[in-house]
Amino acid sequence: MDVPEPVLWDTVLEERKASIITKGKQKKHLKCDIDSVAGCVSQRACVYCGARVVLNPVTDAIHLVHGPIGCASYTWDIRGSLSSGSELYRNSFSTDLKEQDVIFGGENKLARAIDELVAKYPAKVVFVYATCIVGVIGDDLEAVCKAAAKKHNIEVIPVQSSGFAGNKAAGYRAACDALLRLIQPGELSSAPRVNTINYLGDFNLAGEFWIIKNYLKQVGIEVNVAFTGDSNYKALKNATRASLNVIQCAGSMIYLAQRMKELYQIPYLNISFLGLEDTATSLRKIAAHFGDESIMARVEELIERETAKVKPVLDWYRQRLQGKKAAIYVGGGFKAISLIKQFREIGIDVVMIGTQTGRKEEYQTINDLVDEGTVILDDANPSELEKFMLEKGAHLLVGGVKERPLAYKLGIAFIDHNHDRKHPLSGFVGAVNLAKEVYSTLCSPVWQYV
């Protein structure tokens, strides 16, 4: 009996074609920063997820999820931010809304949950996250939090992260609004300190913030507070004492930086500590901002010293990885841009690249960096990722937890550059860690049996 050949449908919907370009074939600009197309299974995360990503690393806060118990599963265990102090943030608290709460409202249950938590854990701040169902039933988080703050004489801050109002980017903004409420300086606030920065958009995954903090300390620059890796209530309350904000993850923190410039006249710089090239460039940008020749000299010494340590190791990996092809699909544009440069450092070509929440100017930079024929796409769905990875012959996919099963089903190697990894990828040492991981997965003998 003859078996019919499978019919391969064009997996790109007409409405999605403006969000996908191939460099060199089309001159039009990529359409991005828009709502997902109805009917597509977007890889984007929800509003609540975006807010939780930003705020969860505040180590000594109570993080209370007002919603069904399932939403509370997004907790420290799938994030991995490290702390040098309090471990309270590793707990995930929930009001566990059920059918009766949906019908009659959950405000009383929320108030009781705050009372119980404050009695058990002596925190100075409680973040209360709204979820999709709260947006539907209309619980007044603002009023409940205000009453609780007055009752317990602590800060109880609502995070307006209910769904149906946008995507992960809206959650970033909701978290930034919550942080802006927290960092309001009091009447006795101190003046900004020289050569002191806030480090925005680093969440201390596997201790990455500590690596960068050590580099900066060596050249004479103090980190006032990180937003929000290894941060705490006291440090965040002093956030306006920094004389510069530097932003690692622009997607999550550009809004906060812009608001702090408007409100507190703190300038900001976009930087990236991923890969040798961007790490060196970022250190030089920060030193140049302060205009201190002694800092600039120490930065050059540090770059020379650290590069000498890792360059021979990266050269070894480049000889073995030369000619391999990578596909990249990550959350924000800054990471995608740095990864293009980082893969070049180890001899790998990027043949497909996309993000969940990239901005127009970031896609322009991506387009300038990649080779002719590279597919660039915004807010992709699994079918599109599969189509272009196969068409381009990618050997490796870089993504997050949602992309991992797709890569393995296609028999393609995978690198987690998102939340639940246990090794740092920032700084000079991070460049070596990435190369080591890429080599381990690409050159694994398992691919002989796929």
Side-chain angles (χ1 to χ4, degrees):
M1 179 180 176
D2 293 334
V3 177
E5 291 290 326
V7 177
L8 298 178
W9 300 97
D10 184 354
T11 53
V12 179
L13 297 177
E14 189 64 32
E15 299 93 322
R16 286 277 311 144
K17 289 184 177 176
S19 296
I20 303 169
I21 62 172
T22 301
K23 182 173 180 181
K25 287 189 176 179
Q26 298 126 319
K27 294 184 179 178
K28 64 180 181 181
H29 294 291
L30 186 82
K31 196 173 182 180
C32 63
D33 200 17
I34 55 174
D35 290 340
S36 300
V37 173
C40 284
V41 183
S42 171
Q43 297 291 95
R44 283 173 171 166
C46 66
V47 182
Y48 159 71
C49 173
R52 196 74 192 264
V53 163
V54 171
L55 292 175
N56 200 68
V58 181
T59 58
D60 58 354
I62 292 173
H63 298 272
L64 174 57
V65 182
H66 187 39
I69 193 64
C71 297
S73 66
Y74 191 92
T75 181
W76 180 87
D77 290 333
I78 58 171
R79 185 64 182 168
S81 301
L82 300 185
S83 170
S84 59
S86 175
E87 297 285 332
L88 180 57
Y89 72 123
R90 294 182 62 177
N91 296 285
S92 188
F93 304 108
S94 171
T95 51
D96 187 17
L97 292 180
K98 297 185 184 300
E99 284 183 8
Q100 283 202 340
D101 305 312
V102 173
I103 296 168
F104 298 107
E107 293 179 6
N108 291 336
K109 197 171 189 179
L110 173 60
R112 288 198 303 274
I114 295 172
D115 291 345
E116 291 175 17
L117 288 169
V118 172
K120 189 170 184 179
Y121 304 99
K124 293 182 178 178
V125 59
V126 181
F127 291 113
V128 179
Y129 301 81
T131 56
C132 292
I133 196 63
V134 173
V136 172
I137 64 178
D139 279 357
D140 190 344
L141 253 66
E142 193 73 42
V144 176
C145 291
K146 184 177 180 181
K150 186 177 180 181
K151 180 178 181 179
H152 299 291
N153 195 28
I154 60 171
E155 297 199 49
V156 182
I157 300 176
V159 185
Q160 301 295 353
S161 52
S162 58
F164 313 120
N167 54 46
K168 188 177 182 181
Y172 289 153
R173 186 173 177 130
C176 290
D177 282 332
L179 287 168
L180 284 167
R181 293 173 69 149
L182 178 63
I183 67 173
Q184 290 181 62
E187 294 179 359
L188 300 177
S189 62
S190 304
R193 292 176 293 177
V194 296
N195 299 343
T196 303
I197 67 166
N198 292 325
Y199 186 24
L200 277 61
D202 185 283
F203 307 110
N204 203 30
L205 304 182
E208 289 179 334
F209 164 55
W210 297 333
I211 294 170
I212 305 307
K213 183 180 180 181
N214 183 46
Y215 292 158
L216 294 168
K217 183 181 179 182
Q218 290 181 53
V219 302
I221 296 172
E222 180 186 352
V223 179
N224 183 46
V225 64
F227 284 83
T228 51
D230 195 25
S231 65
N232 56 55
Y233 174 83
K234 183 179 179 182
L236 288 167
K237 293 300 276 186
N238 289 323
T240 57
R241 297 179 65 189
S243 50
L244 174 68
N245 283 332
V246 300
I247 314 169
Q248 170 75 28
C249 176
S252 63
M253 285 289 171
I254 189 72
Y255 170 70
L256 181 66
Q258 290 169 341
R259 291 290 291 142
M260 289 182 74
K261 185 177 181 182
E262 292 169 12
L263 295 169
Y264 310 119
Q265 293 74 54
I266 301 175
Y268 65 87
L269 293 174
N270 285 299
I271 51 87
S272 173
F273 286 113
L274 297 176
L276 295 192
E277 180 182 342
D278 278 356
T279 298
T281 301
S282 297
L283 288 169
R284 289 182 176 125
K285 277 177 73 174
I286 296 170
H289 170 85
F290 290 119
D292 186 321
E293 291 188 0
S294 62
I295 291 178
M296 288 190 272
R298 285 193 289 271
V299 162
E300 294 303 327
E301 291 170 4
L302 184 144
I303 292 171
E304 184 177 354
R305 184 170 62 248
E306 296 298 325
T307 301
K309 290 181 190 172
V310 302
K311 191 73 167 42
V313 182
L314 293 178
D315 287 344
W316 187 90
Y317 284 116
R318 186 172 60 250
Q319 291 171 10
R320 286 152 182 81
L321 297 172
Q322 195 79 41
K324 296 292 185 182
K325 299 176 183 177
I328 297 171
Y329 192 73
V330 291
F334 89 94
K335 189 184 294 182
I337 292 167
S338 287
L339 280 169
I340 297 169
K341 302 174 188 175
Q342 205 168 356
F343 276 126
R344 281 183 181 162
E345 291 170 356
I346 53 176
I348 293 180
D349 297 323
V350 174
V351 294
M352 188 207 82
I353 186 163
T355 78
Q356 295 179 35
T357 58
R359 295 171 293 142
K360 184 178 178 181
E361 57 270 28
E362 291 170 333
Y363 278 114
Q364 185 57 54
T365 303
I366 288 171
N367 190 66
D368 294 340
L369 286 173
V370 297
D371 296 330
E372 296 280 313
T374 301
V375 174
I376 307 170
L377 66 175
D378 177 72
D379 186 24
N381 58 55
S383 296
E384 292 166 356
L385 294 177
E386 177 183 352
K387 170 186 169 66
F388 294 116
M389 280 194 290
L390 293 177
E391 283 185 4
K392 292 295 174 181
H395 302 105
L396 169 75
L397 172 63
V398 183
V401 65
K402 295 191 295 296
E403 289 76 38
R404 186 197 305 267
L406 177 62
Y408 289 158
K409 286 178 181 177
L410 293 174
I412 294 174
F414 179 77
I415 293 286
D416 184 349
H417 209 300
N418 206 355
H419 300 170
D420 51 353
R421 54 189 162 80
K422 305 302 178 190
H423 53 276
L425 298 178
S426 288
F428 298 96
V429 65
V432 172
N433 287 341
L434 179 72
K436 181 180 179 182
E437 187 178 1
V438 169
Y439 174 76
S440 298
T441 186
L442 269 178
C443 299
S444 168
V446 73
W447 304 118
Q448 300 172 24
Y449 305 100
V450 174

